[in-house]
């Protein structure tokens, strides 16, 4: 049986209390659902000295609206008329059960519904999935297994076994909800003792497998805000099994159509093919065009060039790259 190393445990009663507990302690970690952190601790991939529990902070949970949002006590559906605001401590299961999310933000609904298993969705939180640690076949192993190969560049070693000549870690970003929310144009709030910071969700991620987040050590992700932009959206996920597995490819797409179904705005995001979700730079090249078969095929070819999977997760990397084009085209045809 794998057990976690010893740690201190603090149950935060408020966001400020949690921020104070984190301040100045680089070996402190936030604990919400724990579905990623605790297995990492058991494998000695992370050995925090302090866990700060967020489970008692009710203000971190819930789905509502803002701007022209609902009055207190209004039904969740009223959030559809303004900005959708989701607490970072909201469970993935609650997001998958939300009529408001399903109606207004299908990409997020699909990503949440396909994440892991029902048991994990009941425990895992949206904030936790957005801050999910990167993964790699050579890193996500027991301490003894990793020691047998002389560890890796990510932790305790000097070689990236995926790309031995590289000076960086190529572990892959495997969040389902991050690509969906980036496609939807989501923004997040980070809270610390120094105050609050607002940024676009895509700016939370760095293209570095060993240090994948730009979030500072003392910051807490408190809320996610999705603008009501009148887009159609979807999320396509590739994995070996129909449940449990992390994505080996995720394609999120959000498109706003104008008169005669001409594209006005588009955001296409690739997940699980790099150390960060990739907002495809050519997305806006679709603006002013109709999604004919030729346009879709041309765009899918260019967009798939940004997928550069390596031998660090399931399936052959060359096949995963080929499937990227098929999934991008499929997502666009669905939205059409």
């Amino acid at each position: 049986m794998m057990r976690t190393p010893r740690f201190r445990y603090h149950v935060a009663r408020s966001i400020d209390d949690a921020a104070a507990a984190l301040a100045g302690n680089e070996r402190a970690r936030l604990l919400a659902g724990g579905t990623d952190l605790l297995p990492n601790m058991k494998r000695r991939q992370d050995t925090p000295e302090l866990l700060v529990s967020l489970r008692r902070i009710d203000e971190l949970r819930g789905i509502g609206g803002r701007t022209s949002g609902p009055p207190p006590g209004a039904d969740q559906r009223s959030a559809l008329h303004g900005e959708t605001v989701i607490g970072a401590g909201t469970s993935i299961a609650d997001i998958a059960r939300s009529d408001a999310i399903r109606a207004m933000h299908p990409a997020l609904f699909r990503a949440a519904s396909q994440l892991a298993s029902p048991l994990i969705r009941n425990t895992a939180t949206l904030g936790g999935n957005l801050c999910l640690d990167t993964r790699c076949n050579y890193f996500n192993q027991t301490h003894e297994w990793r020691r047998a190969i002389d560890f890796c560049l990510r932790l305790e070693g000097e070689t990236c076994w995926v790309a031995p000549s590289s000076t960086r870690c190529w572990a892959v970003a495997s969040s389902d909800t991050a690509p969906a929310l980036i496609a939807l144009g989501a923004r997040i709030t980070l809270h610390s003792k120094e105050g609050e910071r607002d940024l676009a969700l895509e700016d939370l991620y760095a293209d570095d497998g060993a240090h994948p987040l730009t979030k500072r050590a003392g910051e807490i992700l408190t809320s996610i805000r999705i603008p009501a932009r009148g887009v159609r959206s979807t999320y396509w996920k590739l994995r070996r099994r129909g449940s449990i597995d992390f994505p080996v490819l995720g394609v999120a797409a959000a498109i706003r159509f104008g008169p005669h179904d001409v594209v006005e705005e588009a955001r296409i995001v690739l997940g699980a093919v790099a150390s960060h979700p990739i907002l495809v730079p050519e997305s806006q090249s679709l603006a002013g065009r109709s999604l004919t078969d030729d346009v879709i095929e041309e765009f899918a070819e260019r967009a798939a060039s940004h997928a550069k999977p390596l031998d660090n997760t399931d399936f052959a990397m060359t096949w995963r790259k080929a499937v990227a084009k098929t999934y991008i085209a499929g997502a666009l045809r669905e939205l059409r």
Side-chain angles (χ1 to χ4, degrees), residues 73-231:
D75 185 83
Q76 282 184 358
R77 287 180 179 274
S78 59
L80 300 182
H81 302 295
E83 182 181 60
T84 304
V85 183
I86 308 175
T90 305
S91 74
I92 297 297
D94 283 345
I95 292 169
R97 285 192 290 259
S98 169
D99 290 337
I101 297 298
R102 184 169 191 165
M104 186 66 176
H105 310 299
L108 177 58
F109 165 76
R110 288 194 178 189
S113 300
Q114 296 179 70
L115 194 152
S117 67
L119 288 174
I120 292 175
R121 290 196 291 271
N122 282 332
T123 304
T125 64
L126 179 58
N129 191 250
L130 293 179
C131 296
L132 191 70
D133 200 6
T134 50
R135 301 183 59 79
C136 175
N137 286 339
Y138 295 97
F139 180 63
N140 290 93
Q141 304 289 347
T142 65
H143 184 267
E144 292 75 19
W145 191 98
R146 289 183 289 116
R147 183 173 58 192
I149 64 167
D150 197 22
F151 296 105
C152 71
L153 185 63
R154 173 69 190 272
L155 184 66
E156 300 182 70
E158 298 179 354
T159 303
C160 174
W161 296 113
V162 174
S165 61
S166 177
T167 58
R168 57 156 287 183
C169 169
W170 291 94
V172 66
S174 298
S175 168
D176 283 298
T177 59
L181 283 166
I182 291 172
L184 291 167
R187 300 188 66 85
I188 60 172
T189 300
L190 299 170
H191 183 97
S192 70
K193 282 192 70 176
E194 285 69 43
E196 289 191 339
R197 196 158 63 102
D198 173 90
L199 70 161
L201 177 58
E202 56 264 34
D203 294 334
L204 177 65
Y205 302 101
D207 189 14
D208 183 343
H211 306 285
L213 300 179
T214 63
K215 184 174 74 70
R216 299 161 192 158
E219 288 184 320
I220 303 167
L221 173 56
T222 57
S223 67
I224 299 92
R225 305 181 311 284
I226 313 171
R229 294 162 42 236
V231 299

Side-chain angles (χ1 to χ4, degrees), residues 6 20 30-31 40 62 68 88 122 136 148 166 190 200 214 222 229 242 249 255 288 302 318:
R6 295 179 66 85
L30 293 170
L31 178 66
N40 287 354
S68 59
N122 282 332
C136 175
S166 177
L190 299 170
T214 63
T222 57
R229 294 162 42 236
L249 169 66
I255 296 180
R302 286 188 292 154
T318 52

Side-chain angles (χ1 to χ4, degrees), residues 250-262:
V251 174
I255 296 180
R256 187 175 73 241
F257 290 91
H260 310 295
D261 279 338
V262 173

